[in-house]
Amino acid sequence: MSKFRFSVGPWNVHEGEDAFGPAVRKSIPFEDKVKKFKEIGISAVQFHDDDAVPDMNNLSEDQIKSRAKDVKSLLDEYGLEAEFVAPRLWMDPHTSDGGFTSNSKEDRDFAFWRAQRSVDIARTLGCDRIVLWLAREGTLCQESKDPVVGMERLVAGIDSILNYDPTIRVLIEPKPNEPIDRSFCPTIGHVIALARLTAAPDRVGGLIESAHAILAGLDPAVEMGFALANKKLWGVHLNDQNGMRYDQDKSFGAENLRQAFNQVMVLKNHGYGHNGEYIGLDVKTMRTQKIEVCYKHIENSMAVFKLLEKKVETFDIAKRDKLIKARDYEALDYYTISHLLGVE
Ligand code: 3MF
Ligand code: MG
């Protein structure tokens, strides 16, 4: 039995719209999603601030907390936890030039406000993790933002969260591009360096998404290893991605099984989950999928993760070590492939 606990966000069950075409499936009400998540073995829900409290810009701070309480009751009813809350700093017209790093002071103040409301929502939902996917924190026109000032503004934004709540934790989810061209914080290495500039480095860590590492031209398992060695891997978004193109959020392992195997191996071998971390998924089903079968990408991702756990458990360590000693990496390559194929 897998000891890991899984999480997903309501946006992982979406209507199928993309940059070139409209929705193709009906919206599923939030409660139905929660019910289904529970049925398929999910333990926690990931939230954007406005997934929990829609229309929050038009609500008072007390109204926001009170709506969040209703969501907490719903989660309790189904026995699910909240993993994190992420301020959606990329949809609102105030964030068209970025949130924390916008060139407009009014927009930056808006971003601080949303981030602090996310903390209120997280606390109401019983969680202490804020995720920052820095979607538009960077440039489309490079000369529009001085990169040093950009970093200072990013730090000020993170500090506004850390100072607002003395025990809240911030998990930065790096991504090199899309929707921004040049991100100020493209990889987990940048996240860990950035954490040191903040008011509370111990409360700033990372969330690694497989596809985002691939989009940076890096291997997700190596990125995860780097974060684990730094004790900064506090969340993951497992999924898959076919090379360097638009962000695909494919089912975990659907493109590159060996890369997926190595992610499971590094997570399992280095205590990921021992401090309450979840195996978070960030997967999108294909536009072609009918509504009756629009949770399969989540179920399949979990199933593949568990199958790969078995592959990690049955990976012959003595054989691996012998081949390492002999420095016969061709043989180790072949052993790994044949093990994944079920031959050895
Ligand atoms: C974009 C993402 C986002 C984040 C989410 C939580 C919509 O590439 O991965 O998913 O994961 O906003 O931070
Ligand atoms: Mg993600």
Side-chain angles (χ1 to χ4, degrees), residues 75-135:
L75 292 178
D76 288 348
E77 194 184 321
Y78 289 98
L80 285 161
E81 284 175 43
E83 182 190 10
F84 65 69
V85 178
R88 207 194 293 264
L89 298 178
W90 57 92
M91 286 278 201
D92 195 277
H94 277 108
T95 59
S96 58
D97 190 33
F100 301 137
T101 66
S102 168
N103 279 323
S104 141
K105 164 114 179 30
E106 195 194 324
D107 291 352
R108 295 199 299 277
D109 287 344
F110 171 80
F112 289 179
W113 186 83
R114 284 287 291 253
Q116 291 172 359
R117 299 297 73 69
S118 295
V119 176
D120 291 344
I121 296 171
R123 288 307 187 189
T124 311
L125 297 181
C127 71
D128 70 350
R129 295 173 176 97
I130 296 296
V131 165
L132 293 180
W133 169 45
L134 303 169

Side-chain angles (χ1 to χ4, degrees), residues 11 48 84 86 90 131 133 173 175 209 212 237 247 282:
W11 66 88
H48 293 123
F84 65 69
W90 57 92
V131 165
W133 169 45
E173 178 179 347
K175 184 177 182 184
E209 173 159 327
H212 296 179
H237 267 172
D247 185 6
D282 196 357

